[in-house]
Amino acid sequence: MTFDNFIKTAWADHGDQPLVVAERLSTSPQLAQTSSQIQAFTRLITHVYGEHLADWDAGIALLQSLPRLANEPAALSAIAVSTATLKYGRGDQDALASLTPLEQTITLATASSLFAAQQKLAMAIDSYSQALMSYPEFTGLPEEIPVHRALAVGGNHLACVLEEQKQRSTTETAAMLQAAQSALKHWQRAGSWLETERAQYRLCRSNLQAGLKDQAVQAARRCLEICTQNNAPAFELFFAHAVLAIAQKDQNDAFELHRAAAIVCLEQVPADEQHWCEAELKELNK
């Protein structure tokens, strides 16, 4: 099996079988030989051993077993950041001490996702807030792309988890909105149109949960505009029309217009992808 196939299969399997994937990872560090491969391996280790298993020590040990490429600073940084993230997750207060400011921001943003996945919401909010404050000014340099990605991914994950809470405090609602807004801001700097339109979708959802209907409609419209401008596939268009319909449920004509458009798009979505659309379809048919 090639390295790329190994990683692709592991990501596909880890949600339902995190222990099985962890075992595969623990016996395969030798597969990562290049800088890009090591970076991909560290991301998967951090996600599986951190978010899914909270097995900090085993994850750290596995990271330390990865090859050290002396002339590949990106690979060395990836190992350092992932190790610090798992150490921070287990409660090591000095985990960030040896990192650069950029690495500290990535670590804090990634740790926020670990805490959110474990429903440690106060810790997740605090970690993400620290990430935003730890490196507030960006100059647009290429080496900052991983920071933007970490803040975008962390913000999206935190917003999503907070949206799902049946009872949110005022602090949690504010954190949800900040996370969704920050995810959009940083995907605009580091992602493609696809990540940006999905961030608009997330912002719409967060605004709806916060009771901010007008802002939700604006975000949903921007989501649909981006899809239209980029000839998005039916899968993306379904979600854009669906969330715009849901945001306008109190306006019958607008709701029915976008509900009908979403259904048309759904008919064009490949059969093996349609299960992802079930939650929105249920909302549209209430």
Side-chain angles (χ1 to χ4, degrees):
M1 180 182 289
T2 67
F3 177 84
D4 289 345
N5 285 337
F6 175 87
I7 293 294
K8 182 178 180 179
T9 302
W11 277 112
D13 294 345
H14 85 282
D16 295 327
Q17 305 177 76
L19 285 170
V20 172
V21 171
E23 176 63 23
R24 284 186 219 159
L25 291 171
S26 70
T27 59
S28 307
Q30 72 283 355
L31 292 178
Q33 294 297 320
T34 68
S35 178
S36 61
Q37 289 174 346
I38 289 172
Q39 292 174 69
F41 213 84
T42 61
R43 286 192 292 270
L44 186 54
I45 291 171
T46 306
H47 183 77
V48 173
Y49 282 86
E51 288 190 35
H52 287 272
L53 301 178
D55 192 349
W56 318 111
D57 292 341
I60 291 167
L62 182 53
L63 287 165
Q64 295 306 304
S65 73
L66 291 173
R68 294 297 201 277
L69 304 182
N71 296 319
E72 295 291 350
L76 295 173
S77 178
I79 295 172
V81 165
S82 290
T83 301
T85 301
L86 294 183
K87 286 183 176 181
Y88 193 76
R90 75 179 180 188
D92 293 10
Q93 295 304 308
D94 60 349
L96 309 180
S98 63
L99 302 179
T100 68
L102 289 173
E103 291 172 336
Q104 289 179 7
T105 301
I106 296 171
T107 297
L108 288 164
T110 307
S112 173
S113 292
L114 307 189
F115 294 137
Q118 295 154 24
Q119 294 296 307
K120 297 177 180 178
L121 300 184
M123 296 174 71
I125 291 169
D126 180 66
S127 186
Y128 192 70
S129 295
Q130 287 189 60
L132 292 175
M133 292 186 295
S134 66
Y135 199 77
E137 295 298 329
F138 295 92
T139 61
L141 296 175
E143 57 265 30
E144 292 176 351
I145 293 298
V147 186
H148 290 300
R149 286 188 173 276
L151 288 167
V153 172
N156 179 78
H157 193 175
L158 179 57
C160 188
V161 170
L162 289 171
E163 286 171 22
E164 294 171 352
Q165 303 306 305
K166 292 183 179 180
Q167 292 184 321
R168 278 183 310 276
S169 67
T170 302
T171 298
E172 289 170 343
T173 297
M176 174 184 69
L177 292 171
Q178 181 188 49
Q181 292 161 357
S182 297
L184 173 61
K185 171 185 174 181
H186 292 288
W187 274 133
Q188 287 172 329
R189 297 194 178 194
S192 67
W193 69 265
L194 180 64
E195 287 88 4
T196 301
E197 65 93 354
R198 289 182 176 182
Q200 293 284 10
Y201 169 92
R202 180 86 285 129
L203 181 56
C204 173
R205 285 294 192 177
S206 290
N207 280 320
L208 285 174
Q209 287 296 318
L212 302 174
K213 178 184 176 298
D214 290 344
Q215 292 91 324
V217 171
Q218 290 171 11
R221 284 176 176 160
R222 288 192 291 267
C223 175
L224 181 57
E225 287 171 4
I226 295 170
C227 286
T228 303
Q229 291 166 1
N230 290 278
N231 297 314
F235 183 83
E236 302 299 328
L237 284 166
F238 166 78
F239 282 97
H241 280 292
V243 80
L244 185 51
I246 292 164
Q248 300 179 97
K249 265 202 165 180
D250 60 343
Q251 299 177 34
N252 192 57
D253 289 346
F255 171 76
E256 290 299 336
L257 173 67
H258 290 288
R259 178 186 180 279
I263 298 302
V264 170
C265 292
L266 180 60
E267 293 171 353
Q268 302 171 44
V269 173
D272 61 348
E273 295 180 0
Q274 290 190 6
H275 67 282
W276 295 108
C277 306
E278 291 174 358
E280 272 70 16
L281 186 60
K282 185 176 180 180
E283 284 188 80
L284 292 173
N285 291 331
K286 280 184 179 179

